[in-house]
């Protein structure tokens, strides 16, 4: 399984139910289709097109409501994803307080994609 989004034979996948961009599909040299999430990470083995599309549809955008951690100056800080573009991601440090999922909007950090500085575990 390829771990990073290849440079060639890539197309955007939009969920048919609402047109939301939920990932990328790579046409492999052997004619199969490999699904990748919006962070350019492989999310399954290369398979038939319908199976790759279904995998991305299932994943959807729910990955962005989960907790994320950023490696920052040798420590891990909790962040929330603000925006994802094809080549970069913007995150903001999570703020503890009475409001769930609060962020410090003055401290937005942009990272090029792909990045190994974000993870879903502390």
């Amino acid at each position: 399984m390829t771990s990073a989004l290849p440079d060639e034979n890539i197309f955007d996948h939009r969920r048919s139910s609402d047109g939301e961009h939920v990932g990328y599909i790579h046409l492999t040299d052997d004619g199969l289709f490999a699904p990748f999430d919006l962070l350019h990470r492989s999310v399954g083995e290369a398979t038939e097109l319908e199976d790759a599309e279904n995998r991305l549809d299932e994943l959807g955008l729910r990955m962005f409501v989960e907790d994320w951690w950023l490696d920052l100056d040798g420590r891990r800080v909790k962040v929330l994803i603000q925006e994802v573009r094809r080549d970069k991601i913007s995150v903001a440090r999570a703020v503890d307080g009475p409001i769930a999922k609060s962020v410090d909007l003055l401290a937005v950090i942009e990272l090029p994609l792909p990045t190994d500085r974000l993870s879903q575990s502390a």
Side-chain angles (χ1 to χ4, degrees), residues 50-90:
E50 184 176 348
D51 294 333
E53 290 174 329
N54 288 339
R55 176 70 183 118
L56 290 173
D57 288 349
E58 290 169 11
L59 179 63
L61 301 178
R62 72 174 181 258
M63 61 187 271
F64 296 120
V65 298
E66 298 171 359
D67 289 338
W68 286 88
W69 301 87
L70 173 67
D71 292 332
L72 185 65
D73 300 326
R75 57 193 169 87
R76 289 203 163 199
V77 296
K78 190 174 183 179
V79 295
L80 294 175
I81 294 174
Q82 299 299 298
E83 181 179 19
V84 178
R85 295 188 180 178
R86 189 173 190 92
D87 63 340
K88 65 184 171 182
I89 185 170
S90 299

